[in-house]
Amino acid sequence: MTQSHTITVEPLGREVECREDQSILDACLRSGVWLPHSCTHGTCATCKADVLEGEVDHGAASSFALMDYERDEGKLLPCTARPRSDVVIEADIDVDDSVEVFPVQDYTATVVELTEIARETVRLVVELDREIGFNAGQYLKFQVPAADGLPAVDRTWSIASPPTEARRLEFHVRRVPGGRGTDGWVFGGLAVGDTVAVSGPYGRFVLRTGDDRHAVLVGGGTGLAPLKSMLRHALENGEYEGHLTLYQGARTREWLYDVDYFRSLAARFPSQFTYRPCLSEESAADCGDEAGRYGFGMVTDVIAADHESLSGCSGYLCGPPPMVEAALKTLMGKRLFPRDIHREEFFNESDKESGAVRSPLIKR
Ligand SMILES: Cc1cc2nc3c(=O)[nH]c(=O)nc-3n(C[C@H](O)[C@H](O)[C@H](O)COP(=O)(O)OP(=O)(O)OC[C@H]3O[C@@H](n4cnc5c(N)ncnc54)[C@H](O)[C@@H]3O)c2cc1C
Ligand code: FES
């Protein structure tokens, strides 16, 4: 049997048992001890913490997210570190009372829908074996089965449905050429009726419910997924007091999806929701009679043109790391405080290798 060790998490003083083949973050989240995290695979550095006592194996921590000198100084990434003795860590735990902590659990999910909704993009709907608790904006890990001699791997996709739909969960998945989870699995043979192993919920990119500020939500590609969960929760379940504006960025109309859904949501909640789909590679002339329904240019250009100032607002940004970085700069340029900007970057395996790390614009 694999040996276990005790992890003490300071400043909480909480103790959890962790196997030698388990990450410290996984053990904590499964025990209901919340630690900051985002990518959960050693890329983003969000979870970085201090080892006060004990030995760890740093595992697959990217050398960009955890530099050699930081390892020497006694830092670790709990999402990849595995204990080799009893360990005491100190984490920067910023408790937000508006965000509930749901312990991570394993579930069996059955695929009930797999539909193409835009270019290279599918809507994947699964039914879990039992209800799950999560905050709008969080994600699940899917176990991509072993294939062609390669071991099983985890891939993370954000939940696009609201927490009130606790068994039937929606996801939006974009094909990445050569990707194990998308090209090789979701687009490469996964079918309605298949069962898959998932775990969750993970992530700290969550809607701050009850807020009354104007929230600007910016999604690029399938970065729309967690924002859709947030918007449905905010509007359909009455969980948000302020106005919400969604900027959905895509190259052309064939990459956009759920446009009619968001238009109908805007019609249902005219005083609380504004929808702005933006096209970066099509012009008003390309769209003819429909031109008035879109913003043209990069999503950041449309935001900049729409607002003199965003002082006093909050921001939720999600999608490819370069888009999130650009949107972050735009919102900060419009006088939005970094502490009020929440973001999720869709890192993949190639980002891990190339060392894409979190924005230098925001101090950790
Ligand atoms: C918090 C979070 C939430 C996410 N939510 C979503 C979502 O809702 N929808 C969505 O579509 N995506 C989402 N993503 C991205 C998702 O997790 C996957 O990264 C994405 O779907 C690609 O997975 P893949 O297995 O197909 O590709 P990967 O196997 O990760 O490969 C990606 C690319 O990297 C290349 N590559 C693979 N291994 C290496 C290597 N060792 N060195 C160099 N290059 C390599 C591949 O050839 C491919 O081109 C999210 C990511 C995060 C971190
Ligand atoms: S959550 Fe640990 S590095 Fe991203």
Side-chain angles (χ1 to χ4, degrees):
M1 208 176 93
T2 316
Q3 202 180 344
S4 286
H5 300 287
T6 303
I7 312 297
T8 307
V9 181
E10 301 293 4
L12 303 175
R14 296 278 303 271
E15 291 187 351
V16 306
E17 287 302 301
C18 182
R19 298 188 315 272
E20 284 204 340
D21 63 353
Q22 184 180 24
S23 77
I24 290 174
L25 178 69
D26 189 63
C28 288
L29 295 181
R30 284 175 188 273
S31 304
V33 176
W34 194 86
L35 294 182
H37 64 281
S38 180
C39 73
T40 67
H41 55 230
T43 308
C44 72
T46 304
C47 64
K48 198 177 289 176
D50 291 298
V51 185
L52 301 183
E53 282 173 33
E55 298 295 322
V56 299
D57 173 346
H58 291 289
S62 142
S63 55
F64 298 93
L66 187 68
M67 312 250 182
D68 286 346
Y69 79 89
E70 293 179 304
R71 294 169 201 232
D72 295 343
E73 282 176 357
K75 304 261 185 227
L76 85 164
L77 300 180
C79 68
T80 58
R82 287 158 171 72
R84 291 294 171 261
S85 68
D86 288 352
V87 175
V88 182
I89 66 165
E90 182 167 48
D92 190 7
I93 300 170
D94 184 8
V95 177
D96 184 338
D97 292 335
S98 68
V99 178
E100 207 171 330
V101 176
F102 296 100
V104 167
Q105 295 182 26
D106 296 316
Y107 300 84
T108 300
T110 305
V111 177
V112 294
E113 186 189 325
L114 191 59
T115 327
E116 189 176 348
I117 48 174
R119 190 162 160 187
E120 307 283 10
T121 310
V122 291
R123 187 186 325 279
L124 167 65
V125 182
V126 301
E127 181 105 17
L128 300 185
D129 54 347
R130 62 191 190 284
E131 294 195 343
I132 182 173
F134 65 94
N135 294 290
Q138 289 193 291
Y139 65 85
L140 293 192
K141 282 190 192 179
F142 283 68
Q143 191 181 86
V144 179
D148 303 328
L150 296 168
V153 289
D154 285 334
R155 289 293 183 261
T156 57
W157 292 308
S158 304
I159 305 167
S161 39
T164 38
E165 295 174 11
R167 276 193 71 184
R168 194 181 163 95
L169 271 49
E170 172 183 336
F171 300 84
H172 307 155
V173 183
R174 163 79 44 93
R175 182 204 299 263
V176 178
R180 270 289 298 279
T182 59
D183 221 5
W185 187 51
V186 173
F187 289 82
L190 187 70
V192 170
D194 287 353
T195 55
V196 300
V198 300
S199 66
Y202 297 94
R204 52 159 205 164
F205 181 65
V206 300
L207 177 72
R208 273 43 182 191
T209 52
D211 201 345
D212 61 1
R213 289 175 297 174
H214 177 194
V216 178
L217 292 78
V218 187
T222 45
L224 183 70
L227 305 181
K228 183 175 180 185
S229 173
M230 292 179 184
L231 283 164
R232 289 194 57 197
H233 196 45
L235 297 168
E236 294 173 1
N237 300 333
E239 291 287 347
Y240 198 83
E241 305 281 316
H243 193 89
L244 301 127
T245 302
L246 171 65
Y247 288 91
Q248 180 185 13
R251 277 179 263 171
T252 63
R253 280 169 290 172
E254 62 175 345
W255 292 93
L256 274 181
Y257 61 91
D258 282 352
V259 176
D260 290 342
Y261 175 78
F262 287 111
R263 283 191 179 135
S264 68
L265 206 60
R268 266 174 75 197
F269 298 95
S271 61
Q272 213 195 339
F273 177 50
T274 306
Y275 176 49
R276 291 283 275 150
C278 308
L279 304 172
S280 61
E281 292 179 10
E282 274 186 306
S283 64
D286 296 325
C287 296
D289 291 348
E290 285 206 323
R293 311 180 87 179
Y294 300 99
F296 295 98
M298 301 301 286
V299 69
T300 43
D301 297 334
V302 178
I303 295 170
D306 279 359
H307 304 276
E308 190 74 23
S309 163
L310 288 168
S311 173
C313 298
S314 64
Y316 293 86
L317 318 176
C318 187
M323 186 230 81
V324 172
E325 181 72 15
L328 182 63
K329 281 189 188 147
T330 301
L331 296 197
M332 285 170 68
K334 293 286 174 184
R335 308 174 64 133
L336 225 160
F337 287 119
R339 66 163 185 267
D340 295 322
I341 306 175
H342 312 281
R343 65 203 196 283
E344 187 88 282
E345 285 127 301
F346 280 4
F347 292 114
N348 64 29
E349 288 301 302
S350 122
D351 296 318
K352 196 167 162 182
E353 289 303 311
S354 67
V357 288
R358 293 174 67 75
S359 175
L361 290 174
I362 290 191
K363 197 169 158 279
R364 262 185 290 284

